[in-house]
Amino acid sequence: MPVEIGPFDPSSASKAELAEYYAVSTAVMAVDRPDVSPLTLAEFVEAIKQPRTVLGPIRRWAARDAGRIVGTVSVTQPEHENRHLTIVQVTVLPERWRQGLGTALLRGVLPDVRAEGRTVVMGYGVKADASGEAWARKLGFVRTHGYVKQTLKLADVDPALWQCPVADGFRVESWTGAAPEALLVEYARARTAITDAPTGESTLEFEDWTPERVRTHEADLRTRGVLNRVTVAVHEDSGRVAGLTELEVPEGGRRRAIQQDTAVMADFRGHGLGLAIKGATLRWLTTAHPEVEEILTQTAHDNAPMIRVNHALGYTSTGTAVELEVGVAELAKRLEA
């Protein structure tokens, strides 16, 4: 019986199907990210039942062999910026690698990609120089950007590293959930500072942040059950938000948090603001959420200053991931050959 590929809806899947889907993910993680503690089955299921990511809605498919799930693919279609992109993630049980399953999964979702009118397919977070990248390159994907994967194991780090005073002339402010109205406009403006971060040859565009966009983002996180902690450095004389950092803590007692964007406005760099605001966030996290054991983040491989900041706080670099892109027309030609 040939492998069957069809849509996978986590909200209606059986417990057995969810367990099989989970087994594929954890088996690949064990190969690609052995340094990271796997999510529990309950945590994983809660995560994949979310119908959207921060970029847009996500849809999933599964490959079944004799009824058993042996591979998966997810497709995210960005809604605002990046409407030229489809972001895909393909996972196949390691013992089934090099049997054409990944290619079959891509072939199975190609009609949906075409129907959306997207022109570029992106593979995001692919382990650099490993079998997944080699497979993608055979299908025409090219490497456009790279990231250093970094992990902070909280129990292994001396909290004294996080005692980072803010520079004279600045103050630190923090909030959970929603930015205060008094800082909303400045906060939105500061979020745009990350648009000058290194991006290599990637066609992925950063968000155009406005106060309205911030409020939409905050509401989306609440809907997805994510607690977001924001810490900013405010320039006392001008009242400008000079730097910001955002940490996502999934609700429900999960052991892992995700360090998201950190940005410092160009004219305020060189004052140690990134170190100060990240240190303040870590002090809050260990007090407010002692159940969190590790923080994951990634930093552009050529953003040496931020990599140094993370190392100073106790993060360790564990590998490199890459973005890969191919035109939809080129991918279709190779898949249909």
Side-chain angles (χ1 to χ4, degrees):
M1 180 182 295
V3 172
E4 298 181 348
I5 295 173
F8 182 85
D9 181 3
S11 64
S12 61
S14 68
K15 290 182 178 180
E17 289 174 320
L18 291 168
E20 290 176 356
Y21 198 104
Y22 171 73
V24 174
S25 176
T26 53
V28 173
M29 282 289 289
V31 175
D32 286 352
R33 294 297 304 274
D35 56 296
V36 175
S37 304
L39 296 175
T40 66
L41 173 59
E43 291 169 341
F44 179 83
V45 169
E46 181 185 351
I48 68 169
K49 281 188 174 181
Q50 297 298 329
R52 57 185 297 114
T53 72
V54 68
L55 290 174
I58 184 169
R59 288 176 290 173
R60 302 177 189 275
W61 284 257
R64 291 177 169 86
D65 188 357
R68 175 185 174 226
I69 295 175
V70 293
T72 70
V73 60
S74 65
V75 174
T76 302
Q77 308 280 24
E79 290 182 305
H80 301 289
E81 296 83 8
N82 301 300
R83 292 188 63 83
H84 66 295
L85 280 179
T86 287
I87 302 172
V88 301
Q89 183 176 26
V90 177
T91 56
V92 173
L93 282 172
E95 61 263 32
R96 300 297 300 267
W97 288 356
R98 300 179 181 86
Q99 296 179 18
L101 283 177
T103 303
L105 282 161
L106 275 182
R107 191 178 292 120
V109 302
L110 185 61
D112 286 72
V113 174
R114 283 174 151 170
E116 290 283 340
R118 308 290 167 137
T119 57
V120 176
V121 175
M122 170 183 282
Y124 188 84
V126 180
K127 186 176 181 180
D129 302 315
S131 58
E133 182 178 10
W135 163 74
R137 285 179 176 271
K138 290 179 182 178
L139 291 174
F141 285 84
V142 297
R143 184 188 292 194
T144 56
H145 196 31
Y147 298 89
V148 175
K149 294 281 189 178
Q150 296 182 293
T151 303
L152 178 60
K153 301 284 189 180
L154 292 163
D156 297 340
V157 176
D158 183 354
L161 294 177
W162 312 330
Q163 301 297 327
C164 311
V166 68
D168 291 342
F170 299 88
R171 72 177 186 272
V172 171
E173 293 196 25
S174 301
W175 59 84
T176 302
E181 285 293 334
L183 285 175
L184 180 59
V185 172
E186 269 301 316
Y187 173 59
R189 182 180 296 121
R191 288 207 67 145
T192 307
I194 203 168
T195 59
D196 66 356
T199 59
E201 300 300 317
S202 174
T203 67
L204 186 68
E205 301 170 358
F206 289 113
E207 294 92 338
D208 179 17
W209 289 99
T210 63
E212 294 75 21
R213 186 72 173 271
V214 169
R215 292 301 190 218
T216 299
H217 174 64
E218 294 166 344
D220 178 61
L221 289 173
R222 288 193 294 272
T223 299
R224 291 193 286 120
V226 175
L227 181 72
N228 69 311
R229 177 71 172 185
V230 176
T231 299
V232 301
V234 180
H235 185 238
E236 295 278 20
D237 288 344
S238 65
R240 293 173 60 192
V241 171
L244 64 96
T245 189
E246 182 180 26
L247 182 75
E248 292 187 0
V249 184
E251 295 177 351
R254 292 198 208 167
R255 296 162 294 125
R256 178 184 302 162
I258 305 297
Q259 173 65 63
Q260 295 287 12
D261 291 348
T262 299
V264 177
M265 301 289 282
D267 48 345
F268 292 117
R269 291 171 188 164
H271 296 285
L273 298 182
L275 197 63
I277 56 180
K278 281 193 168 185
T281 299
L282 290 169
R283 296 195 301 273
W284 167 83
L285 177 67
T286 53
T287 300
H289 292 277
E291 73 279 5
V292 174
E293 299 173 3
E294 65 183 6
I295 305 173
L296 303 186
T297 194
Q298 60 183 26
T299 306
H301 70 95
D302 46 359
N303 189 350
M306 191 55 65
I307 292 172
R308 285 197 300 269
V309 165
N310 288 342
H311 284 162
L313 294 168
Y315 282 85
T316 57
S317 296
T318 58
T320 302
V322 295
E323 287 178 12
L324 304 165
E325 295 186 25
V326 64
V328 170
E330 174 65 18
L331 179 62
K333 182 172 67 176
R334 298 201 182 213
L335 290 174
E336 294 166 358

mmCIF file of all heavy atoms in Angstrom, residues 20 47 58 65 71 101 115 142 198-199 240 251 260 289 296 305 329:
data_model
loop_
_atom_site.group_PDB
_atom_site.id
_atom_site.type_symbol
_atom_site.label_atom_id
_atom_site.label_comp_id
_atom_site.label_asym_id
_atom_site.label_seq_id
_atom_site.Cartn_x
_atom_site.Cartn_y
_atom_site.Cartn_z
ATOM 1 N N GLU A 20 1.372 9.684 17.530
ATOM 2 C CA GLU A 20 2.220 9.372 16.384
ATOM 3 C C GLU A 20 2.848 10.641 15.804
ATOM 4 O O GLU A 20 4.030 10.649 15.439
ATOM 5 C CB GLU A 20 1.397 8.656 15.311
ATOM 6 C CG GLU A 20 0.984 7.242 15.700
ATOM 7 C CD GLU A 20 0.085 6.597 14.665
ATOM 8 O OE1 GLU A 20 -0.289 7.276 13.672
ATOM 9 O OE2 GLU A 20 -0.241 5.408 14.845
ATOM 10 N N ALA A 47 0.423 22.976 21.872
ATOM 11 C CA ALA A 47 1.064 23.898 20.929
ATOM 12 C C ALA A 47 0.533 23.719 19.513
ATOM 13 O O ALA A 47 0.217 24.703 18.829
ATOM 14 C CB ALA A 47 2.571 23.699 20.959
ATOM 15 N N ILE A 58 -1.715 28.444 10.192
ATOM 16 C CA ILE A 58 -0.880 27.294 9.898
ATOM 17 C C ILE A 58 -1.774 26.096 9.614
ATOM 18 O O ILE A 58 -2.782 25.888 10.283
ATOM 19 C CB ILE A 58 0.095 27.004 11.062
ATOM 20 C CG1 ILE A 58 1.032 25.845 10.710
ATOM 21 C CG2 ILE A 58 -0.639 26.733 12.368
ATOM 22 C CD1 ILE A 58 2.175 25.684 11.707
ATOM 23 N N ASP A 65 1.782 5.511 6.539
ATOM 24 C CA ASP A 65 2.161 4.242 5.945
ATOM 25 C C ASP A 65 1.447 3.144 6.730
ATOM 26 O O ASP A 65 1.687 2.986 7.935
ATOM 27 C CB ASP A 65 3.681 4.046 6.016
ATOM 28 C CG ASP A 65 4.142 2.831 5.232
ATOM 29 O OD1 ASP A 65 3.283 2.112 4.679
ATOM 30 O OD2 ASP A 65 5.365 2.594 5.155
ATOM 31 N N GLY A 71 5.489 10.920 8.703
ATOM 32 C CA GLY A 71 6.035 12.209 8.303
ATOM 33 C C GLY A 71 4.964 13.280 8.373
ATOM 34 O O GLY A 71 3.757 12.969 8.336
ATOM 35 N N LEU A 101 9.905 10.461 1.193
ATOM 36 C CA LEU A 101 8.728 10.927 1.923
ATOM 37 C C LEU A 101 8.665 12.450 1.999
ATOM 38 O O LEU A 101 7.593 13.050 1.851
ATOM 39 C CB LEU A 101 8.714 10.333 3.329
ATOM 40 C CG LEU A 101 8.273 8.875 3.451
ATOM 41 C CD1 LEU A 101 8.392 8.405 4.892
ATOM 42 C CD2 LEU A 101 6.835 8.710 2.967
ATOM 43 N N ALA A 115 -2.403 27.834 -4.979
ATOM 44 C CA ALA A 115 -3.724 28.446 -4.883
ATOM 45 C C ALA A 115 -3.676 29.787 -4.160
ATOM 46 O O ALA A 115 -4.498 30.665 -4.421
ATOM 47 C CB ALA A 115 -4.691 27.502 -4.173
ATOM 48 N N VAL A 142 18.014 27.398 -1.862
ATOM 49 C CA VAL A 142 19.329 27.977 -1.617
ATOM 50 C C VAL A 142 19.335 28.602 -0.232
ATOM 51 O O VAL A 142 18.311 29.093 0.250
ATOM 52 C CB VAL A 142 19.712 29.037 -2.676
ATOM 53 C CG1 VAL A 142 19.813 28.404 -4.053
ATOM 54 C CG2 VAL A 142 18.697 30.187 -2.691
ATOM 55 N N PRO A 198 20.923 42.032 10.860
ATOM 56 C CA PRO A 198 21.411 41.309 9.682
ATOM 57 C C PRO A 198 20.389 40.291 9.185
ATOM 58 O O PRO A 198 19.789 39.563 9.974
ATOM 59 C CB PRO A 198 22.671 40.605 10.205
ATOM 60 C CG PRO A 198 23.074 41.373 11.422
ATOM 61 C CD PRO A 198 21.813 41.882 12.030
ATOM 62 N N THR A 199 20.187 40.249 7.869
ATOM 63 C CA THR A 199 19.226 39.308 7.286
ATOM 64 C C THR A 199 19.794 38.520 6.117
ATOM 65 O O THR A 199 19.063 37.740 5.500
ATOM 66 C CB THR A 199 17.964 40.045 6.806
ATOM 67 O OG1 THR A 199 18.343 41.038 5.833
ATOM 68 C CG2 THR A 199 17.243 40.717 7.959
ATOM 69 N N ARG A 240 12.176 58.580 24.967
ATOM 70 C CA ARG A 240 12.148 57.576 23.906
ATOM 71 C C ARG A 240 12.442 56.184 24.461
ATOM 72 O O ARG A 240 13.222 56.038 25.396
ATOM 73 C CB ARG A 240 13.176 57.918 22.827
ATOM 74 C CG ARG A 240 12.872 59.180 22.052
ATOM 75 C CD ARG A 240 14.016 59.528 21.121
ATOM 76 N NE ARG A 240 14.281 58.459 20.152
ATOM 77 C CZ ARG A 240 15.363 58.412 19.385
ATOM 78 N NH1 ARG A 240 16.298 59.346 19.506
ATOM 79 N NH2 ARG A 240 15.532 57.424 18.525
ATOM 80 N N GLU A 251 1.562 29.603 28.779
ATOM 81 C CA GLU A 251 0.814 29.369 30.003
ATOM 82 C C GLU A 251 0.644 27.869 30.248
ATOM 83 O O GLU A 251 0.810 27.050 29.345
ATOM 84 C CB GLU A 251 -0.548 30.062 29.918
ATOM 85 C CG GLU A 251 -0.438 31.588 29.856
ATOM 86 C CD GLU A 251 -1.780 32.268 29.710
ATOM 87 O OE1 GLU A 251 -2.775 31.558 29.491
ATOM 88 O OE2 GLU A 251 -1.836 33.498 29.816
ATOM 89 N N GLN A 260 12.242 36.175 22.391
ATOM 90 C CA GLN A 260 11.926 36.714 21.071
ATOM 91 C C GLN A 260 12.781 37.946 20.799
ATOM 92 O O GLN A 260 13.918 38.022 21.240
ATOM 93 C CB GLN A 260 10.421 36.990 20.974
ATOM 94 C CG GLN A 260 9.564 35.745 21.063
ATOM 95 C CD GLN A 260 9.613 34.882 19.807
ATOM 96 O OE1 GLN A 260 10.448 35.054 18.919
ATOM 97 N NE2 GLN A 260 8.708 33.914 19.730
ATOM 98 N N HIS A 289 8.136 32.744 37.572
ATOM 99 C CA HIS A 289 7.857 31.463 36.935
ATOM 100 C C HIS A 289 8.995 30.482 37.192
ATOM 101 O O HIS A 289 9.742 30.115 36.272
ATOM 102 C CB HIS A 289 7.622 31.649 35.432
ATOM 103 C CG HIS A 289 6.360 32.392 35.120
ATOM 104 N ND1 HIS A 289 5.125 31.778 35.072
ATOM 105 C CD2 HIS A 289 6.146 33.711 34.891
ATOM 106 C CE1 HIS A 289 4.196 32.680 34.817
ATOM 107 N NE2 HIS A 289 4.784 33.864 34.701
ATOM 108 N N LEU A 296 14.996 29.244 25.021
ATOM 109 C CA LEU A 296 15.574 29.064 23.697
ATOM 110 C C LEU A 296 15.521 30.386 22.940
ATOM 111 O O LEU A 296 14.577 31.162 23.086
ATOM 112 C CB LEU A 296 14.798 28.005 22.903
ATOM 113 C CG LEU A 296 14.666 26.609 23.519
ATOM 114 C CD1 LEU A 296 13.990 25.672 22.524
ATOM 115 C CD2 LEU A 296 16.001 26.057 23.951
ATOM 116 N N PRO A 305 27.444 41.300 18.266
ATOM 117 C CA PRO A 305 27.163 41.957 19.550
ATOM 118 C C PRO A 305 26.069 41.255 20.361
ATOM 119 O O PRO A 305 26.212 41.081 21.572
ATOM 120 C CB PRO A 305 26.739 43.374 19.125
ATOM 121 C CG PRO A 305 27.428 43.599 17.817
ATOM 122 C CD PRO A 305 27.384 42.267 17.137
ATOM 123 N N ALA A 329 7.759 28.309 -8.819
ATOM 124 C CA ALA A 329 7.820 27.730 -10.158
ATOM 125 C C ALA A 329 8.973 26.743 -10.279
ATOM 126 O O ALA A 329 8.827 25.666 -10.870
ATOM 127 C CB ALA A 329 7.965 28.842 -11.195
#
